[in-house]
Amino acid sequence: MLTFKGGVHPPEMKEWSKDKPIERVPLPQKVFVFLSNHAGNPAKPVVSPGDEVKTGQVIGEPEGFISAYLHSPVTGKVLEINKILHPILGKPIEAIVIERTSDDEWVYIETGDFERMSKEEVLEVIKKAGIVGLGGAMFPTHVKLSPPPEKKVDTLIINGAECEPVLTIDHRLMLERAEDILQGILIMMKVLGVQKAIVGVESNKIDAYHNLKKVFKGYPVDVALLKTKYPQGAEKQLIYAITGRVVPRGGLPMDVGVVVQNVGTCVAVKEAVVDGKPLVERGVTVSGDAVKNPRNLIVRIGTPVKDVIDYCGGIDENTERVILGGPMMGISITNLDVPVMKGTSGITAFLPKKPQPQKPCIRCSECVQVCPMNLQPYLLYLLSTKRKYDEAVENGLMDCIECGSCTYTCPSKIEHVRYIKLAKTVYRATRRGKK
Amino acid sequence: MKLMSTYAPHLREEDDVRKIMLDVLIALSPAVIGAAYFFGWYALFLCIAGAVTGELFDIFVMRYLRGVKDFVPDGSGAVTGLLLAMNVSTRLPFWAFLLGLVFALGIGKHVFGGLGQNIFNPALVGRAFLLISFPTYMTTWVVPGAGFWKSPVDVVTAATPLALFKEQGVFTSYWDLFIGKVGGSLGETSALLLIIGFIYLLLKKRVKIFIPASYIGTVLVFSSIAYLMNPKYGDPLFHLLSGGLMLGALFMATDMVTSPITEKGQVIFGIGCGVLTMAIRLFGAYPEGVSFSILFMNALVPLIDRYTRPRIFGEVKG
């Protein structure tokens, strides 16, 4: 089985939701759509309070190259455009608040038969659909699918690893929507002009692996079985496991001829290009030991987390943590009014756990052994606390993929990743200052 | 419902520092039982008292001298106390042992900033202090097997196999060396019991084999060459089993805090320890060189770490 060096094996906790077929959450009464629902520049609003909007209607336009379209997730009326706390950016960002007034009245994107469309036309549809990477990074898909001509991309890799504990939505998509995934892959292969696509699936989803194999028969799309290990789905680790290619430091997958997309993104691409549907909803796993009825759901973007949780029977009153995403890389939220974003792959809620006090580093070297990037997290942590940022950068600070394996394994309970993220932020800010 | 704001990852392994220290204590226990069997009640007393006072002293320093009111004991003081006890002669009076322990934890550990901050192995710092301050007590050895209840002061003294060999050319049987029925520091004599404990640590994945393997391997190679050149240097098996080599290579050199981080660094560290140990044994004034070679190599760890930095994923060769 294919894998990479390092990593950890946290408890999978997928049994809570892995057998629950994907359901659709009833339409929300109110949605909060962040203008920043993607990496890059926030979108520019093109509606004003009081406007009537339909489902799929453009409400935000991209600003700059790395940006994306936004569409109304419901049919209703724009109430206001207000700043609310963006959980990922950690600061208030403008969001368009829409109140639903009726059932969906769709506005579709203009599309055609993708086999007859030109590359550029297909790309334009993907762009118009506002598709971003649904794995979590929310990088605009049309940008990823148009690498500069000097980068010779020959392989499309689809991330079906879903190595985060608890999350099962990608697993369910691979079981229930394999045909759509295939369509999405074929569309992206055409856009990239590549002859080969490989879906990587972890061995704990063997049924998904077999299902994809069956559906992909006769198409130039392979399925690779990966060892179940975290962070198997991290881009560079996935590329290495599947192709043996090493993305150079500071480089991108396209530097080794690869583009990586998530399985959820494949479905979104199919829906946009074949059905003309813009990205107004996504798959979300709601699970964790504090969730009454864990589920896999299709949720409209902008739906408050609270609505989604309520649909799952609510959470235990003793719940200590609610996390957007999985437990390894997700972001904890303290306010359940926060909306689902284009990158929200899961909502996980946990009961209280015994606190584990932090101890000094005893140089056990566990963090060094598990680091998939071959860094020395203990050292980066020490240098960050001493504010020796330049030295930390020399030792690979910026190479950290923030997977959290070091923090997970540390017997001294040191929060390496927290300090590393902080040091990165400070370093970036000071470097900008120097220029 | 009060939701907590926490940083990713929101999951942690169950393991912690206390469990590591507890495993080290468990791993040392066969040798402690052996010490009681060979050297009597006082040896057992030193081990238990060493562990208990070591931990208490740690708590005292942290809570009252350094003002960490909510300090949670971690077991590292107990490990140092026990290791120091295993590194002394049963002739050492308890008051002197306590002095050594205070020195070990105070100078060896807390002046550097406490757990994890020390450069030198605290137990070996304590031992070096005792060796210099109380050379007579520290290098007078009792004959093993005098009976459990016999007071160490009443027991006939004996030289260690290394001293016997170096000074008088007398050989000790391999079997006695292996099971530990020889003179020496109370926890160092039985290779067998130390290896049993070490295997436990290996199985629990608390240590890696690199330091002991490279250390013992170097001693083996070095002593073989010396033996082939001149049998007066003693044969390799004798060097492996005598003195503090097993205790040093399996439990002292492997101290996480004071040894290199990477596997490559650990091999270099082990080789350095082996070369120095043999150099002292063969050419030095002391019959034994384990503690000083480990202490010396401890000092080189920052340098070793710097030159054995792992190559970052995606870093170009060269």
Side-chain angles (χ1 to χ4, degrees):
Chain A
M1 251 182 292
L2 305 168
T3 192
F4 61 98
K5 187 181 156 292
V8 292
H9 195 145
E12 293 171 24
M13 301 183 280
K14 292 183 188 269
E15 64 280 4
W16 296 325
S17 57
K18 77 178 169 70
D19 298 322
K20 306 281 177 65
I22 301 172
E23 297 169 57
R24 199 168 271 279
V25 177
L27 292 175
Q29 285 313 311
K30 228 190 220 183
V31 288
F32 303 79
V33 186
F34 280 117
L35 290 175
S36 179
N37 238 301
H38 47 259
N41 295 330
K44 191 171 73 214
V46 293
V47 289
S48 326
D51 287 3
E52 304 273 339
V53 289
K54 291 180 173 164
T55 310
Q57 181 182 328
V58 173
I59 54 173
E61 279 179 354
E63 192 140 59
F65 180 56
I66 300 179
S67 190
Y69 277 97
L70 279 180
H71 305 81
S72 177
V74 291
T75 300
K77 199 167 128 187
V78 177
L79 287 185
E80 53 181 355
I81 301 177
N82 221 343
K83 281 195 170 183
I84 52 174
L85 182 72
H86 192 291
I88 298 174
L89 299 173
K91 58 183 179 189
I93 292 286
E94 287 189 319
I96 302 175
V97 185
I98 303 167
E99 187 169 44
R100 188 169 71 89
T101 52
S102 75
D103 286 348
D104 283 335
E105 285 176 46
W106 281 90
V107 175
Y108 292 103
I109 321 162
E110 242 178 88
T111 182
D113 178 2
F114 89 87
E115 302 205 14
R116 296 219 194 111
M117 288 159 80
S118 73
K119 253 167 74 164
E120 290 71 25
E121 283 167 343
V122 177
L123 259 179
E124 190 59 22
V125 173
I126 292 172
K127 183 180 177 184
K128 281 275 165 61
I131 300 176
V132 304
L134 300 188
M138 302 200 283
F139 194 82
T141 302
H142 67 277
V143 181
K144 229 176 175 182
L145 290 177
S146 34
E150 70 271 17
K151 306 281 181 194
K152 294 270 172 279
V153 172
D154 60 9
T155 308
L156 171 65
I157 287 181
I158 305 301
N159 187 354
E162 198 165 53
C163 58
E164 268 277 359
V166 184
L167 304 187
T168 54
I169 185 65
D170 286 355
H171 186 179
R172 292 310 308 182
L173 287 174
M174 290 187 285
L175 286 175
E176 300 178 33
R177 308 281 298 271
E179 284 82 7
D180 291 344
I181 292 172
L182 175 64
Q183 288 276 302
I185 294 172
L186 295 174
I187 293 166
M188 287 192 280
M189 286 172 74
K190 174 183 167 131
V191 172
L192 287 168
V194 301
Q195 307 302 315
K196 198 168 59 182
I198 308 163
V199 186
V201 184
E202 272 190 349
S203 59
N204 61 354
K205 291 173 268 293
I206 197 80
D207 50 349
Y209 170 80
H210 288 303
N211 188 48
L212 292 183
K213 276 240 157 189
K214 196 180 75 199
V215 172
F216 294 173
K217 199 158 230 169
Y219 292 94
V221 184
D222 276 339
V223 192
L225 195 60
L226 307 167
K227 197 174 162 188
T228 301
K229 186 163 86 168
Y230 179 87
Q232 186 67 75
E235 213 164 54
K236 292 179 179 182
Q237 280 60 37
L238 187 69
I239 293 169
Y240 178 76
I242 291 179
T243 65
R245 299 179 194 173
V246 176
V247 178
R249 277 184 81 181
L252 292 169
M254 63 172 88
D255 294 327
V256 291
V258 177
V259 165
V260 180
Q261 299 284 356
N262 165 272
V263 285
T265 313
C266 299
V267 174
V269 166
K270 181 263 166 185
E271 287 187 337
V273 178
V274 177
D275 311 328
K277 257 176 78 177
L279 183 69
V280 294
E281 57 187 15
R282 66 155 298 143
V284 177
T285 299
V286 184
S287 186
D289 58 7
V291 178
K292 295 271 160 58
N293 304 308
R295 284 185 171 141
N296 297 297
L297 304 169
I298 298 288
V299 181
R300 289 286 159 93
I301 308 299
T303 307
V305 165
K306 189 174 178 305
D307 292 8
V308 185
I309 286 176
D310 285 346
Y311 183 71
C312 299
I315 51 175
D316 195 287
E317 58 182 23
N318 297 317
T319 302
E320 185 181 70
R321 281 168 301 163
V322 174
I323 297 149
L324 285 190
M328 291 301 281
M329 286 187 83
I331 288 159
S332 79
I333 54 172
T334 52
N335 176 357
L336 298 184
D337 295 332
V338 165
V340 167
M341 285 171 285
K342 288 185 179 177
T344 308
S345 49
I347 297 168
T348 49
F350 288 110
L351 291 171
K353 269 214 308 265
K354 213 174 87 197
Q356 295 169 305
Q358 185 180 326
K359 289 275 173 192
C361 170
I362 55 168
R363 294 169 47 88
C364 70
S365 81
E366 274 293 321
C367 59
V368 179
Q369 286 162 44
V370 301
C371 180
M373 292 304 290
N374 253 350
L375 303 173
Q376 303 189 78
Y378 85 98
L379 185 63
L380 296 178
Y381 156 74
L382 281 177
L383 293 172
S384 305
T385 54
K386 289 178 183 162
R387 301 179 184 200
K388 292 184 176 171
Y389 301 118
D390 289 325
E391 212 179 323
V393 171
E394 280 166 36
N395 281 285
L397 179 76
M398 305 315 271
D399 295 86
C400 173
I401 57 169
E402 302 172 15
C403 70
S405 297
C406 48
T407 311
Y408 171 77
T409 199
C410 178
S412 293
K413 313 299 165 195
I414 293 167
E415 296 190 278
H416 306 82
V417 185
R418 177 180 164 187
Y419 290 94
I420 287 172
K421 279 185 191 168
L422 188 70
K424 277 184 177 179
T425 312
V426 175
Y427 179 75
R428 284 202 189 103
T430 53
R431 197 177 48 176
R432 215 174 294 133
K434 276 175 200 161
K435 267 180 187 171
Chain B
M1 196 184 322
K2 182 86 186 87
L3 292 177
M4 258 169 69
S5 171
T6 51
Y7 295 89
H10 309 275
L11 280 181
R12 296 284 197 286
E13 215 162 51
E14 289 289 312
D15 217 9
D16 62 24
V17 173
R18 296 167 88 162
K19 285 181 188 155
I20 294 175
M21 296 300 167
L22 183 66
D23 273 338
V24 176
L25 293 176
I26 291 171
L28 288 170
S29 55
V32 169
I33 294 165
Y37 175 75
F38 294 122
F39 301 114
W41 68 269
Y42 185 65
L44 186 63
F45 168 76
L46 273 186
C47 289
I48 295 169
V52 172
T53 47
E55 193 60 33
L56 288 178
F57 183 74
D58 230 26
I59 296 170
F60 171 76
V61 172
M62 292 306 288
R63 288 218 177 131
Y64 301 104
L65 297 186
R66 299 182 57 191
V68 186
K69 288 280 170 276
D70 53 352
F71 173 71
V72 185
D74 48 44
S76 65
V79 168
T80 300
L82 178 55
L83 279 173
L84 181 64
M86 295 178 81
N87 270 293
V88 301
S89 160
T90 33
R91 270 293 170 92
L92 187 73
F94 189 58
W95 60 266
F97 172 74
L98 282 183
L99 266 182
L101 186 55
V102 168
F103 195 88
L105 288 169
I107 305 297
K109 178 164 142 186
H110 285 290
V111 293
F112 288 97
L115 178 66
Q117 303 285 314
N118 48 305
I119 297 170
F120 299 103
N121 184 317
L124 288 179
V125 170
R127 182 188 141 94
F129 165 78
L130 289 173
L131 203 59
I132 293 160
S133 311
F134 310 103
T136 325
Y137 287 138
M138 283 296 284
T139 54
T140 313
W141 317 96
V142 301
V143 170
F148 187 74
W149 293 113
K150 199 103 176 186
S151 159
V153 190
D154 300 332
V155 176
V156 189
T157 60
T160 66
L162 274 173
L164 272 177
F165 179 71
K166 189 158 188 169
E167 285 143 24
Q168 300 162 37
V170 178
F171 258 117
T172 314
S173 95
Y174 291 135
W175 179 248
D176 285 351
L177 282 172
F178 183 62
I179 63 161
K181 200 170 169 292
V182 292
S185 295
L186 59 88
E188 75 177 15
T189 60
S190 174
L192 172 69
L193 298 173
L194 290 167
I195 290 169
I196 290 173
F198 182 72
I199 289 173
Y200 171 80
L201 282 188
L202 266 186
L203 293 177
K204 292 279 274 188
K205 297 205 165 93
R206 295 305 189 196
V207 287
K208 291 230 206 149
I209 194 78
F210 302 102
I211 291 174
S214 57
Y215 192 165
I216 293 171
T218 303
V219 167
L220 198 65
V221 170
F222 206 121
S223 56
S224 302
I225 295 169
Y227 182 68
L228 289 176
M229 284 164 64
N230 189 342
K232 88 172 167 87
Y233 287 129
D235 65 282
L237 194 57
F238 171 75
H239 278 288
L240 281 197
L241 297 174
S242 59
L245 181 67
M246 285 295 165
L247 181 62
L250 302 182
F251 289 99
M252 314 293 286
T254 48
D255 170 26
M256 296 165 172
V257 175
T258 57
S259 61
I261 287 283
T262 64
E263 292 164 3
K264 201 161 110 193
Q266 289 171 1
V267 170
I268 294 170
F269 180 82
I271 292 172
C273 286
V275 168
L276 286 171
T277 299
M278 287 316 294
I280 299 173
R281 277 189 182 182
L282 300 184
F283 315 119
Y286 284 104
E288 173 63 300
V290 171
S291 1
F292 287 112
S293 45
I294 296 174
L295 282 171
F296 185 79
M297 290 308 292
N298 283 163
L300 296 185
V301 166
L303 206 62
I304 297 174
D305 273 345
R306 171 170 296 197
Y307 287 104
T308 54
R309 195 197 83 178
R311 198 169 71 224
I312 296 168
F313 185 82
E315 198 170 6
V316 187
K317 280 174 205 173

